Amino acid sequence: MISLGQKNTLDEYMILSDADNRPPMLDKDLYDSWKSRMELYMQSREHGRMILESIEHGPLIWPTVEDNGVIKAKKYAELSAAEKIQADCNMKATNIILQGLLADIYSLVNHHRVAKDLWERVQLLMQGTSLTKQERECKLYDAFDKFTHIKRESL
């Protein structure tokens, strides 16, 4: 931890000032930790609860209006203030997630514009399906069960 009371370099000040402005970067080996830190980061943003809601439940379902007997979705300008905030939260969530991804993962998922779909796709890429998780777990247990000491081998 860098303390502000000490003499710090310009780099250290940049780290301190930027720490709250950028979402955590994904480490492929620590997906669960990244996910938790991302959720905390999103919660700390303005309208954080709504941002998380858009990830968990999807974006605002735009209300409809009837115009000359034709039912159509409202335009952004026609939304109430609360609906505009909710619509904007999906874009904020998408942006936050994309900023926290490594280039190779970003290139696989950047076409998603719905935060919930993007979040689920990243999770699938990092964790796989429950079947692949079980398969990996079984392989680890199998490797552990077969572990033996070979004579003259250093432990």
Side-chain angles (χ1 to χ4, degrees), residues 17-28:
S17 66
D18 197 36
D20 194 39
N21 295 330
R22 296 212 26 96
M25 285 301 286
L26 173 65
D27 181 338
K28 291 180 183 180

Side-chain angles (χ1 to χ4, degrees), residues 2 10 16 21 31 51 55 59 63 68 70-71 74 76 78 92 94 101 111 117 126 134 137 140 146-147 152 154:
I2 303 168
L10 181 58
L16 282 173
N21 295 330
Y31 170 76
I51 292 171
I55 286 176
N68 296 330
V70 177
I71 297 175
K74 283 185 176 181
Y76 183 84
E78 300 171 325
K92 287 180 183 179
T94 302
L101 298 177
H111 59 281
D117 297 341
M126 295 297 103
Q134 287 175 345
E137 187 177 339
L140 285 172
K146 291 180 181 177
F147 178 76
R152 289 183 238 116
S154 162

Side-chain angles (χ1 to χ4, degrees), residues 7-8 10 14 30 50-51 57 61 63 70-72 77 87 89 97 100 106 133 138 147 154:
K7 289 190 175 190
N8 296 319
L10 181 58
M14 289 173 64
L30 300 171
M50 291 177 88
I51 292 171
H57 303 293
I61 298 173
V70 177
I71 297 175
K72 62 179 183 133
C89 282
I97 296 167
Y106 177 89
K133 281 194 246 178
C138 286
F147 178 76
S154 162

Side-chain angles (χ1 to χ4, degrees), residues 76-109:
Y76 183 84
E78 300 171 325
L79 296 176
S80 70
E83 289 168 335
K84 285 180 181 180
I85 291 170
Q86 192 175 356
D88 293 343
C89 282
N90 181 67
M91 188 56 63
K92 287 180 183 179
T94 302
N95 189 30
I96 290 169
I97 296 167
L98 289 173
Q99 286 181 32
L101 298 177
L102 301 167
D104 57 335
I105 303 298
Y106 177 89
S107 65
L108 296 172
V109 299

